[in-house]
Amino acid sequence: MKLIVTADDFAITFAGADGVIHAATYGCLTETGLFSNSPAAAYGVKRLLSERPDFCLGQDINLVTGKPLSDPKLIPSLVTEDGKFRTSGSHRLEDKTNPNHIPYEEALLETETQILKFIELAGKKPEYLNGHSYGCENTQKAFRDMAVKYEIPILSDVLAKYNLPGGLETAPWNNVSAMDSTGKWDFSPATQLDRDPLKFFTENKLEYLTKALEENGIAHIHTHTGFVDRELIRLSSFNLIRMMEADFVTSPELNNWIKENNVELISVRDLL
């Protein structure tokens, strides 16, 4: 049996970067996707490549968190008046009256700029590309066109070849309630603390994990592993669950289960 354990949003903040590296060193994490537009990106890449040079490092194309790498004047549909990215919730809300409101050229510019920044920081191309939080027809087209241009595999495509779902379907905290009328999820602290991935695992509630291993001999766990700092709380309502997932990925319960069942830890690199 084989298992891929992914962490999205690498280096969203400095603590977020530290949490991923901790899980890669002391847990079963096998790959992570970098936020190359984050102020913590250079720190995260330098530390990861120094401590875990062979670790599978991909990239999460992020169009909704923090500040863009492109000139905000060139991507007005993606930013607010202060030059920061619009939130995913605001895009979903606008989709109701103006679907696909982000021009292809704007999405393409920022997507390519983030890929080039990754190459500058890491000295190599990402091992995979993944999306983040929000997408529409034009952002997806830009995403895929850049994957072709730079010859970078798309995480969801690779997983699909092995009949593996991605995203929320394999999130160990399980899906929370549906979006509300403003396009937001219920990521209140109480809700996050209630969705304990380690508890779900020990109580045999991660049915997708067992099903995937039984049917395909391979499974995928999709996390947002990380530590929490003030900046993360300011940037994202999806915060407390990250440290709970870090605890889950490094837990004796999960890692002993991996050893006892002879589960081989792999990354997307091994599937290509």
Side-chain angles (χ1 to χ4, degrees):
M1 296 189 294
K2 302 178 187 295
L3 178 65
I4 299 173
V5 186
T6 307
D8 285 358
D9 306 358
F10 177 48
I12 183 174
T13 65
F14 288 91
D18 288 340
V20 166
I21 296 169
H22 176 80
T25 304
Y26 300 104
C28 59
L29 194 69
T30 64
E31 62 187 26
T32 190
L34 177 71
F35 266 19
S36 65
N37 71 306
S38 168
Y43 163 82
V45 170
K46 182 178 180 180
R47 187 179 167 203
L48 181 65
L49 294 183
S50 173
E51 299 181 21
R52 292 293 309 276
D54 294 328
F55 195 77
C56 181
L57 180 59
Q59 178 167 17
D60 291 350
I61 299 299
N62 163 35
L63 304 180
V64 296
T65 301
K67 296 180 179 180
L69 292 174
S70 309
D71 183 346
K73 295 179 181 178
L74 300 178
I75 51 171
S77 71
L78 290 170
V79 298
T80 56
E81 291 182 358
D82 61 1
K84 297 178 182 178
F85 277 131
R86 293 175 55 184
T87 64
S88 55
S90 74
H91 283 297
R92 293 190 188 99
L93 193 59
E94 185 167 352
D95 279 344
K96 295 181 178 181
T97 56
N98 186 20
N100 208 33
H101 56 277
I102 300 173
Y104 168 78
E105 293 76 15
E106 292 185 26
L108 189 74
L109 174 61
E110 180 62 20
T111 298
E112 183 164 28
T113 304
Q114 290 189 15
I115 292 173
L116 292 174
K117 184 64 174 181
F118 181 106
I119 296 172
E120 175 191 331
L121 293 174
K124 59 182 180 179
K125 294 188 297 186
E127 296 199 51
Y128 66 81
L129 288 184
N130 194 25
H132 170 69
S133 185
Y134 170 81
C136 63
E137 182 179 341
N138 282 340
T139 63
Q140 289 298 314
K141 185 177 188 309
F143 176 81
R144 290 191 170 275
D145 285 350
M146 288 297 95
V148 171
K149 178 177 180 178
Y150 289 95
E151 298 181 315
I152 306 170
I154 295 174
L155 177 61
S156 59
D157 289 352
V158 179
L159 295 175
K161 290 181 180 180
Y162 291 83
N163 297 316
L164 294 172
L168 297 181
E169 293 177 85
T170 57
W173 48 271
N174 211 348
N175 204 351
V176 296
S177 59
M179 292 178 188
D180 63 23
S181 60
T182 66
K184 295 181 180 179
W185 296 93
D186 175 14
F187 288 143
S188 64
T191 297
Q192 292 186 70
L193 293 173
D194 184 57
R195 316 298 286 193
D196 184 351
L198 180 56
K199 181 180 179 182
F200 286 179
F201 174 75
T202 57
E203 294 180 354
N204 298 313
K205 293 181 180 178
L206 300 187
E207 296 179 359
Y208 74 86
L209 180 60
T210 303
K211 181 179 180 182
L213 289 173
E214 290 178 348
E215 293 182 354
N216 303 320
I218 183 171
H220 175 230
I221 297 178
H222 172 206
T223 78
H224 291 77
T225 294
F227 294 154
V228 178
D229 54 11
R230 179 179 180 274
E231 181 65 8
L232 179 62
I233 293 174
R234 188 186 69 80
L235 278 176
S236 174
S237 59
F238 191 78
N239 41 57
L240 298 180
I241 197 65
R242 296 175 190 263
M243 65 181 184
M244 296 171 70
E245 289 188 329
D247 184 61
F248 170 60
V249 171
T250 58
S251 68
E253 290 88 346
L254 176 59
N255 287 278
N256 288 338
W257 175 84
I258 289 171
K259 293 178 182 178
E260 291 167 0
N261 290 277
N262 297 312
V263 176
E264 179 186 359
L265 292 172
I266 65 170
S267 67
V268 167
R269 178 194 299 162
D270 302 297
L271 299 180
L272 295 174

